[in-house]
Structures are given as structure tokens and as C-alpha cells.
């Protein structure tokens, strides 16, 4: 299983000379297993635009699995090439949450926000709502776990032949029951991508925002006995120098910690 980062920022794309090293796009991750043909896209932030342009010319099924519905995780969706190029088969898999209907995706394409209505997409994707437990998506067996984020969100554990990969972005620690369930959900994974939006000092003023600090997730990774931790959902304005300092500090808490970078890939 190979995991590649196409977008690692949180909240908004952040393109400055001081931040370009880690990347400027919002969340999108590609997961593939070339031996089995399994393929999956996690979230559709602005990073999905680059992914769509890099998929090549041989059409195939492209399932997109969303963690939740906030703008930074959906804003790239209307610009995804497989919706328009002949032969592609995109599909959308998204959390079943309170007050969210199957038609939620229509609103992203509604005028005056976008010129092509959802129903007029050449390759209109089917929308499937997922619930906690387990689901088969894109040839992968995926565990589904609720996490603590305003409006609701899910973490995913993707089972691979060489180990499991957990995607647990946009989680705020502090609810004991949810934290304990997430710990068991992540336990023993080969790699975890985890929200590290804030520093410990910043976290004090952002209770209820739905995010964690790098120190919290580094400690969490140790308790969960995972092999590697990727710090993710970098705060807008966080420079490459600051992220390098955070990576070093997190590494002193959990030696397997690395700051995610756009374009970087790793194997499990």
C-alpha cells in the first residue's frame, strides 16, 4: 500500500514563499495498492485538483471518501478531472451525520457558486453515506470511527497487506469516551495521519474548534503503539521553518513523528 499527500494544510490553501516547502493545498490523500488494484482518495480539499491531473489517461474507478463536510475538505471537488473526462467512474463516500442528506453534494455545484450543476456532470458520481463500523471502498477494507469535531467527522483505518493506515484528521481531544475509542481504533497501526493544527500554547485559546496540538498527537501515537506518525492539517500561516521546529519537537516525544509534505509518499 502506498500513501501520497496531495494536500496537507488546514482551513484554507496557504501559498507563500515561506510555506511552499510543505505545500499549500488543503487535505487530500491518495491510497493505492498496485498489486491488487485497490485505489482510494481521502478528502477533496484543493489538493485533489493536482491528483486529478496526475491520474493519467487510462480511466478507472475513483472512489472519494470524505471525513466530513467542511470547506477545506470539499473545496476541490468541482474541479476534479474524472468528473469530466470520458470513461472515468468517480464515486463519493461520505459520513452519515445528523442533518446531512444524500443530496449535500449538490450544493457545492449550485449556481452562483459553480457553473456546472451536479446533475449535468458528464460522469456524475453516485453518493453513498457510510456509518461507523466497517465498509469496503475501492478494494480496501476500511474501519470507520467517529471523532470529535464540530458537526461530526469520521476517522478511517485502511487495512493493508503489510499493515494498516489510519487517517484521523480534525479531532479535538477532551471527550474521554471518544478519545478512548479512537485509541483502540488506532492501536498497532503501521502509520497514522493525525491533526496537529495547533501548538500547545495556541490550543488554550481554541477550545471547541475541533483540532489538536502536535504534542497531543505525539503522545497519542505513543500510547496507540503505532509505528509512524504524520503531523497533518497544518495551520494557515505556519511557515516551513516553524513546521521543521514542530517536527523536531514532536520527534522528541514520539520518535516516529514527521510533518506531512505535499507530494511526499510512503509505503506500508
Amino acid at each position: 500500500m502506498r500513501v501520497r499527500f496531495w494536500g496537507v494544510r488546514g482551513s484554507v490553501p496557504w501559498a507563500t514563499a515561506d510555506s511552499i516547502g510543505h505545500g499549500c493545498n488543503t487535505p487530500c490523500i491518495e491510497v493505492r495498492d498496485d498489486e491488487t488494484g485497490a485505489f482510494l482518495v481521502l478528502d477533496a480539499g484543493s489538493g485533489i485538483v493536482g491528483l486529478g491531473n496526475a491520474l493519467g489517461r487510462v480511466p478507472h474507478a475513483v472512489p472519494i471518501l470524505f471525513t466530513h463536510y467542511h470547506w477545506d475538505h470539499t473545496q476541490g471537488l468541482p474541479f476534479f478531472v474524472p468528473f469530466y473526462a470520458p470513461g472515468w467512474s468517480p464515486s463519493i463516500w461520505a459520513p452519515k451525520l445528523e442533518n446531512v442528506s444524500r443530496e449535500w453534494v449538490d450544493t457545492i455545484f449550485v449556481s452562483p457558486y459553480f457553473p456546472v450543476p451536479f446533475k449535468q456532470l458528464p460522469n456524475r458520481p453516485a453518493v453513498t453515506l457510510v456509518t461507523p463500523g466497517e465498509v469496503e471502498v475501492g478494494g480496501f477494507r476500511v474501519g470507520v470511527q467517529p471523532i470529535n469535531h464540530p458537526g461530526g467527522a469520521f476517522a478511517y483505518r485502511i487495512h493493508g497487506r503489510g499493515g494498516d493506515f489510519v487517517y484521523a484528521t480534525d479531532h479535538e481531544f477532551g471527550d474521554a469516551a471518544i478519545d478512548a475509542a479512537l485509541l483502540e481504533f488506532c492501536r498497532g497501526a503501521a502509520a497514522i495521519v493525525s491533526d496537529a493544527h495547533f501548538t500547545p500554547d495556541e490550543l488554550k485559546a481554541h477550545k471547541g474548534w475541533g483540532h489538536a496540538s502536535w504534542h497531543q498527537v505525539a503522545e497519542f501515537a505513543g500510547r496507540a503503539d503505532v509505528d509512524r506518525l504524520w503531523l497533518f492539517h497544518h495551520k494557515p500561516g505556519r511557515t516551513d521553518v516553524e513546521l521543521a521546529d514542530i517536527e523536531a519537537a514532536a520527534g522528541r516525544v514520539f520518535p516516529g513523528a514527521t510533518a506531512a509534505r505535499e507530494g511526499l509518499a510512503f509505503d506500508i
Side-chain angles (χ1 to χ4, degrees):
M1 178 165 56
R2 168 157 287 199
V3 179
R4 184 179 298 275
F5 295 108
W6 289 93
V8 300
R9 292 277 166 185
S11 301
V12 295
W14 191 264
T16 69
D18 292 336
S19 61
I20 196 74
H22 283 80
C24 307
N25 287 298
T26 55
C28 181
I29 294 178
E30 172 192 6
V31 186
R32 64 167 67 236
D33 185 329
D34 288 335
E35 289 191 21
T36 66
F39 181 87
L40 177 61
V41 178
L42 296 167
D43 279 330
S46 61
I48 201 172
V49 181
L51 169 59
N53 291 333
L55 284 176
R57 298 184 177 181
V58 180
H60 58 80
V62 184
I64 306 166
L65 179 60
F66 286 90
T67 56
H68 62 300
Y69 303 100
H70 288 164
W71 285 347
D72 51 337
H73 294 255
T74 61
Q75 62 196 180
L77 189 66
F79 304 95
F80 193 43
V81 167
F83 289 159
Y84 308 97
W88 291 86
S89 301
S91 60
I92 290 173
W93 302 71
K96 184 177 183 180
L97 301 173
E98 187 175 357
N99 298 322
V100 176
S101 71
R102 192 182 303 272
E103 289 73 35
W104 69 270
V105 70
D106 289 15
T107 61
I108 299 176
F109 295 84
V110 168
S111 179
Y113 309 114
F114 196 72
V116 182
F118 181 70
K119 293 182 179 179
Q120 293 182 18
L121 291 176
N123 303 324
R124 186 173 62 187
V127 179
T128 302
L129 299 183
V130 302
T131 56
E134 201 164 81
V135 64
E136 191 86 18
V137 185
F140 288 108
R141 184 165 59 92
V142 181
V144 183
Q145 176 65 39
I147 53 179
N148 185 26
H149 193 67
F154 287 167
Y156 298 113
R157 181 166 182 148
I158 301 170
H159 299 279
R161 293 174 293 112
D164 293 351
F165 165 58
V166 175
Y167 182 47
T169 189
D170 292 65
H171 173 67
E172 180 173 355
F173 292 96
D175 185 307
I178 296 177
D179 291 347
L182 182 61
L183 181 66
E184 293 307 312
F185 182 76
C186 297
R187 192 174 298 282
I192 177 173
V193 168
S194 189
D195 186 311
H197 194 86
F198 293 120
T199 66
D201 286 340
E202 292 167 345
L203 191 65
K204 300 171 185 176
H206 295 89
K207 184 176 176 58
W209 285 45
H211 299 288
S213 75
W214 62 261
H215 193 272
Q216 285 178 315
V217 298
E219 288 188 329
F220 178 84
R223 294 197 304 273
D225 193 29
V226 304
D227 294 337
R228 299 190 70 181
L229 165 66
W230 296 92
L231 307 173
F232 189 73
H233 207 276
H234 306 317
K235 182 184 176 185
R238 192 82 75 205
T239 68
D240 293 320
V241 171
E242 290 171 330
L243 284 170
D245 290 342
I246 286 173
E247 181 180 76
R252 291 191 288 271
V253 178
F254 180 76
T258 306
R261 292 173 178 261
E262 190 173 318
L264 185 149
F266 63 93
D267 294 318
I268 296 176

